[in-house]
Structures are given as C-alpha cells and as structure tokens.
Amino acid sequence: GLVGPGGVIRTIAQRKTPVRIATFGDSTANVGTTQNPASQDATKYSSSAWQSGLVSIGMGGDKWAVPYFYPQAYLVCNGGISGENTTQMLARDSAAYSTMRKAVADIANFSPDVIFLRGGSINDIAGVTAATVASTVATTYANHIAIIRRLAAAGARIVDEGIFGYSGGAAEPQSVRAALVQLNAMFATYAAQYPDLIEFINPVGLTCDSTGAYLSDMSTDGTHLNGMGSITVARKEAEALTRLFGVSSAVRYPGQNNLANPFLGSTTSPGYGVVATNMTFGVSNGTRQNAKVEVINGKAYQTCEVVISATTNYLQCFITVDPSAAGAGLTAPLNVQIGDVYGLEWDFYISPLSMPSLSVTQITNRFDIRDAVGSGRVVVDQIAQTLTLTGEFFGHHATQPILFGDVQANLTSATEVFFGVYTSNASGTYKIGISQPRLVKLDQTVKTI
C-alpha cells in the first residue's frame, strides 16, 4: 500500500470479485436462510412459488453481518448445526450424505476461499464441572485441531473465531468460563504457529472479558451473540478478509442498475423536507423532519430524521421499483423469466443525534417483490436485532443472489426496497440514510460465482 495524507495507508489492490465464504460449527455458524435453514447450500435465495401467496426468505443479521463491512463477502455454504459439539462435528464425515449433512467434505465441495470456524464449541463445555474441566478442555481442543486439519484440506484459509463468551445459567458457570478461557488461549497459540493458514479472532476484550463472561450488549441469552455482538465480530471478520483478499469494492453486483434515480439527483418536497423522487419515509411514534440529500463520507445519502414521541418507534425508507422506469434499453415491465437471477444492494446509515445512545431493537433490509401474475409476493429479508449505537453507524446491505422460480414473474410497481430502523428509546432524535441502491440482473457467469 501507499501512505497517504495523515499517515493513512492506502491499499492499491481492490477486491472486485466475491470472496466465497463457508461457515463450520455449531448454532453460531448456522447461518441458513429462513426458507431452508437446514440446507448447506447458501449460494442463492430461490423459490418455486413466486405467483401464489406470500413467500418469506432471508437471513438473520445476528449471525451473518460481515457484508455490512466487506461488501464482497459471499456466503456459499452454511456449515453450522445447532446444538452440536466438536465430536459430533467430526462425525459428520462418516454419516450418509444428505444436503443437510454439512460435513467437512461437503464444505470443500463449495470451493470456499475462506472458512469461518465457529466450533469451539460452547456445546462441549456447557455442562462442565470443576472436576471435569481438564479432561473436557483436552478433548475439545484435540477435536478442534482435528477439524482445522480437515478444513485445511479444502484449500481455504481459516478464520478461527473461538468461543465468544458465556453468561448463561449452567450449574457451574465459573467452570464453563474457566474452560472457555483455556480453550481460547490454546486456539490462539495454535493459530500463531500457522499464520499462512489461520487467522484467529480473539474474543477476549471483543465479546467477552478475561474471565470469559460476555461483555455488556454482546449477548441477550448469555450463550449466543445478539445483533451488537455479531456486528462487533463482523468488523474483525472484515479486517481479516481485507488482510487476506484486499480492500473490498463498494459494489457487490456490477452491471446495469435497474433502479430509477440511483444518484438521488431528482427530488420532491414533501412536508418533512427534500426527498428523492423514488423514495418515501414512513414513521411510527415520531415526527419526520429535515429530510435531504446530503454528502456523508464522500457519498450522496438520502437522509431523514425522526423526533421520537413514544417507545416502539420506527423510521422506514421505501424505494419504488417501477418496471416502467427501468434502465435504458430494457423492456418494461422487466419480464423476469424462470431462472433469472438478480442482486440487490445499498449502503445505509444510522446516527443518534440528541441522545447518548440509540437502542435499536431491529434493523430490517428488505426486498418486497410483487408479481403481476396471480397473487405472488416474495419478501427477502435480512434482520439484525438488539444493537446499542453510540455514534454514526455505516453498513452495506447485499442480498444473496435471488433466483426467480416462475415463468413471467413480472415485477409490478408495488415492488419496493425497504430499509427500516426500530428503536425502544422513549425520546430523542435520530437519523437514517440510504445510498447507492442497486438492482442488477446477473448474467450466467455471475450466477455461478
């Protein structure tokens, strides 16, 4: 890289193609879609019933938040099985094949560039006692290293994330935490021996303290990360990906943008400010104000503020996907055919303005697809829950590729992009914004990335 103004290192190389990522482990690695949570194939969202009733698919941001900070992160394989310990993880390879087996051999078949190992595992140590700490740690560590050696055969780099923390209600929580601390230290020591193979994300000081207890705001149930915990880890995951693959391009889906007014150049003036012509803001338990197109960190954002009047409030941004206003050279309506694949992405922004912290109960990124044929509606969601924001928060949302499964699944003008922020604050003011919305039809090459 080059050293720029103020001593900031500017990296020349930029990653402009997706980084293929697989997960492996327990429930913390189980990042399946709501449509098919058990399947190991996570390469795309798909549905064969686009023209009849409501189909809801998506992925929880509490387990998969790295694209917020590294747009080229592309999940190709869900290798997590909830409740499993390391012994069970190793046994997957000897089980009969199925699309839900999630063995190391299956992970390798997806040709990942990198594997996020979330298989410490808390399930090995949740019932440990003072008398069994030593033996349990020894067994778990041996299994963990065996998993790493098998994963290495896939030819991918490994990001070992250890065990995030524990503040649950085990019979001997102090013994659980003692085992956790020992294991994380052993994992770190092992990773340091193989810097060309393993990146270790140390949970100590990140999601847990030196005793193994979760830090404040990292977990809701004392066992799993919440939205804030996931975002905290995702920042470190993005740093690891940057070291391994270069700085991510801000565009996940290159190609012709099928959204109107993506540069926010055309505006209207509703009663709460200035808003891009294809956007509107909805509010509950609050008052909209000061909507405008403004430059933040060099990018044009459509922003709007809300003055909170009661708890359980929200501010939502809607972007119309109007087929009659599709990009130049396209036929309106878009006339989506069976097998067509689209990618959707945008940058988003959240900022508390007149309060020390914003208690976000949910961030929702949605593609609400309405079909002109029949009564079809497909809702593609990514939802992150329970975050405490004390300053500006920037993220990037990119859906998995969306496979249309019906012939003539024509989009209607009721189809829309949706970004919403929900909070539990009783008073104060906050602001949200959206930038660079893109809806791109992917070609045959991109479909199989």
Side-chain angles (χ1 to χ4, degrees):
L2 297 177
V3 178
V8 176
I9 296 177
R10 304 295 188 188
T11 302
I12 298 174
Q14 185 181 62
R15 179 78 182 205
K16 293 187 176 181
T17 56
V19 174
R20 299 174 63 87
I21 302 173
T23 63
F24 187 85
D26 51 28
S27 60
T28 62
N30 192 0
V31 290
T33 70
T34 54
Q35 179 194 29
N36 192 358
S39 174
Q40 57 203 15
D41 187 346
T43 55
K44 65 181 75 70
Y45 297 141
S46 61
S47 174
S48 60
W50 291 79
Q51 295 177 8
S52 177
L54 172 64
V55 177
S56 181
I57 57 181
M59 187 179 299
D62 294 350
K63 294 183 180 179
W64 182 247
V66 66
Y68 286 171
F69 312 110
Y70 198 93
Q72 291 296 347
Y74 174 35
L75 182 67
V76 296
C77 182
N78 164 26
I81 298 179
S82 299
E84 281 204 347
N85 59 34
T86 54
T87 299
Q88 292 168 313
M89 294 173 201
L90 286 169
R92 296 178 197 175
D93 280 297
S94 58
Y97 174 78
S98 75
T99 58
M100 284 77 76
R101 184 176 67 164
K102 302 181 181 180
V104 172
D106 305 321
I107 306 299
N109 289 339
F110 285 87
S111 300
D113 298 312
V114 62
I115 299 166
F116 288 177
L117 175 55
R118 301 173 179 173
S121 161
I122 192 66
N123 296 319
D124 287 84
I125 62 175
V128 74
T129 66
T132 60
V133 166
S135 59
T136 301
V137 166
T139 300
T140 304
Y141 176 73
N143 287 344
H144 188 81
I145 301 310
I147 289 169
I148 288 177
R149 290 173 178 166
R150 289 189 189 181
L151 292 175
R157 299 291 292 269
I158 297 165
V159 176
D160 186 351
E161 303 187 6
I163 308 176
F164 297 128
Y166 186 75
S167 297
E172 294 189 21
Q174 70 280 4
S175 297
V176 175
R177 289 193 284 271
L180 182 153
V181 169
Q182 290 181 45
L183 284 167
N184 280 336
M186 295 165 74
F187 298 157
T189 299
Y190 186 82
Q193 299 177 57
Y194 304 99
D196 293 332
L197 174 65
I198 308 169
E199 294 263 346
F200 183 70
I201 295 178
N202 195 337
V204 178
L206 184 69
T207 57
C208 67
D209 63 22
S210 60
T211 73
Y214 269 116
L215 296 173
S216 176
D217 296 328
M218 292 294 104
S219 176
T220 302
D221 64 4
T223 302
H224 304 89
L225 295 175
N226 60 19
M228 194 69 198
S230 181
I231 284 173
T232 301
V233 171
R235 292 185 190 275
K236 292 297 182 181
E237 292 171 338
E239 291 176 7
L241 295 179
T242 300
R243 288 191 295 271
L244 295 172
F245 304 105
V247 175
S248 176
S249 166
V251 175
R252 169 70 172 83
Y253 295 112
Q256 181 163 293
N257 191 352
N258 293 312
L259 291 177
N261 195 26
F263 301 120
L264 313 177
S266 176
T267 61
T268 60
S269 298
Y272 54 92
V274 176
V275 180
T277 52
N278 62 323
M279 294 186 181
T280 57
F281 284 89
V283 67
S284 176
N285 288 331
T287 303
R288 296 164 294 181
Q289 68 176 23
N290 294 336
K292 58 185 173 182
V293 176
E294 60 179 310
V295 176
I296 305 174
N297 285 352
K299 294 182 180 181
Y301 280 82
Q302 173 65 66
T303 65
C304 185
E305 300 174 6
V306 59
V307 180
I308 298 169
S309 60
T311 57
T312 63
N313 57 86
Y314 62 71
L315 183 57
Q316 303 164 330
C317 178
F318 299 90
I319 305 177
T320 300
V321 180
D322 186 352
S324 66
L330 297 183
T331 302
L334 294 182
N335 194 26
V336 176
Q337 297 296 315
I338 189 169
D340 283 351
V341 180
Y342 279 78
L344 176 69
E345 65 183 320
W346 60 84
D347 289 338
F348 64 87
Y349 169 81
I350 309 170
S351 179
L353 298 180
S354 65
M355 59 190 82
S357 64
L358 186 65
S359 298
V360 177
T361 56
Q362 183 171 300
I363 299 174
T364 298
N365 293 290
R366 171 176 292 180
F367 188 21
D368 193 346
I369 305 166
R370 307 299 181 98
D371 195 330
V373 181
S375 59
R377 180 185 179 194
V378 178
V379 174
V380 180
D381 276 333
Q382 186 186 42
I383 298 174
Q385 297 177 308
T386 314
L387 301 91
T388 302
L389 304 181
T390 58
E392 293 182 319
F393 178 71
F394 294 89
H396 182 90
H397 169 71
T399 66
Q400 295 290 92
I402 303 167
L403 172 65
F404 283 73
D406 278 347
V407 177
Q408 295 179 339
N410 300 313
L411 301 184
T412 74
S413 58
T415 298
E416 61 190 5
V417 166
F418 168 88
F419 167 57
V421 176
Y422 305 74
T423 92
S424 60
N425 294 78
S427 62
T429 305
Y430 65 93
K431 178 167 68 173
I432 71 171
I434 193 167
S435 178
Q436 299 190 143
R438 298 178 56 78
L439 176 64
V440 177
K441 184 177 180 179
L442 309 184
D443 62 27
Q444 293 293 331
T445 301
V446 179
K447 284 183 189 180
T448 56
I449 52 177

